[in-house]
Amino acid sequence: MDAAAGPQSFSFISLFLQADWVVKAVMIGLILASLGSWAVIIDKLFRFSALNSAANRFEDQVGSGQGLEEVAAQAGANPRHPLPRMLQAALKEWRDAKAKGQMGEAQAAFLIQRIDRMMDTLISRETGKAEDGLGSLAIVATASPFIGLFGTVWGIMHAFQNIAISKNTSLAVVAPSIAEALFATAIGLIAAIPAYIAYNKFSTDAGKYAGRLENFADDLSTAIQRRLSERV
């Protein structure tokens, strides 16, 4: 590069256009990774908000004094939220066991174990759905800085080659080449930082949501045990 550096040489578009093709590929990859991570972030924001709002409404309904059967019936045949599905599944097991007549302690204990296993399976499945996409955020958060650094190292090597060819080491000639190389690291950090913050936030949210499901399952199991104790 023989021309002196001007303000236009350090614009984002100029830095991208002047970069080596390898650095351009790194930049494009990081930009796509950042866009993908933001898509996951926006989806998770709306999804956790909807899940918690639905859970709040259902828990308020359960705590309003209505019977569990009535609450389960109001949820419909195929509720989307896991809490009413858990309630309906537990009540179905209860009704099936009740229809068989009087139960002994062994049959009651087996029923509780069956309900607990069913609840654990449902909680595990719903937790997996809530955590879906977090792996991609983790990859972007951990890999983007290193990919950007690779682009920077490659760009600096390419800049040194151009300096050796031009035999001009003045700052006006060197600065644009170094800037376009460092721009790759900047894009890597821009992609990594939001993904890292979002991964930690949504991992915490997923853990809290799983704990919420587990607490509801424990309360439901206690309610079923109370009913069984009245019949045994």
Side-chain angles (χ1 to χ4, degrees):
M1 295 183 183
D2 298 323
Q8 69 278 6
S9 301
F10 297 95
S11 68
F12 292 159
I13 296 177
S14 296
L15 290 174
F16 174 79
L17 294 177
Q18 296 168 9
D20 180 72
W21 67 270
V22 175
V23 181
K24 286 181 180 178
V26 169
M27 291 180 180
I28 292 172
L30 290 173
I31 291 171
L32 292 176
S34 180
L35 293 175
S37 67
W38 274 106
V40 174
I41 290 170
I42 294 172
D43 174 72
K44 289 300 177 187
L45 284 172
F46 283 103
R47 181 170 299 185
F48 277 114
S49 177
L51 287 174
N52 287 314
S53 295
N56 288 335
R57 290 193 300 270
F58 187 76
E59 289 176 347
D60 291 341
Q61 192 176 8
V62 171
S64 65
Q66 300 181 64
L68 294 180
E69 285 80 2
E70 183 180 356
V71 174
Q74 291 175 359
N78 295 300
R80 298 180 59 185
H81 198 273
L83 292 186
R85 291 207 307 271
M86 293 167 65
L87 176 60
Q88 290 178 352
L91 290 178
K92 182 180 182 301
E93 292 290 338
W94 158 254
R95 287 193 299 268
D96 291 344
K98 182 180 178 181
K100 295 178 181 179
Q102 187 70 23
M103 286 184 293
E105 293 184 1
Q107 290 85 353
F110 180 73
L111 173 62
I112 294 299
Q113 290 178 2
R114 188 165 66 248
I115 291 175
D116 287 342
R117 287 196 299 270
M118 178 181 59
M119 295 294 175
D120 290 340
T121 300
L122 195 150
I123 291 171
S124 177
R125 186 185 304 121
E126 294 300 325
T127 302
K129 291 180 181 179
E131 293 175 345
D132 186 34
L134 295 185
S136 62
L137 290 180
I139 292 173
V140 173
T142 56
S144 292
F146 296 102
I147 295 174
L149 183 60
F150 167 76
T152 295
V153 172
W154 185 278
I156 291 176
M157 290 172 57
H158 187 259
F160 283 155
Q161 290 176 353
N162 290 336
I163 292 170
I165 293 173
S166 65
K167 297 180 181 179
N168 189 342
T169 59
S170 66
L171 183 60
V173 173
V174 175
S177 300
I178 302 300
E180 68 192 38
L182 293 175
F183 189 43
T185 295
I187 296 178
L189 293 176
I190 291 172
I193 292 172
Y196 177 79
I197 295 173
Y199 173 78
N200 285 279
K201 170 184 167 42
F202 293 134
S203 294
T204 302
D205 290 345
K208 290 180 179 179
Y209 185 68
R212 191 171 195 173
L213 295 180
E214 291 172 356
N215 290 335
F216 183 79
D218 291 340
D219 293 341
L220 195 54
S221 178
T222 300
I224 297 296
Q225 290 182 41
R226 189 180 301 114
R227 292 188 176 190
L228 288 173
S229 65
E230 296 173 355
R231 293 178 56 87
V232 175

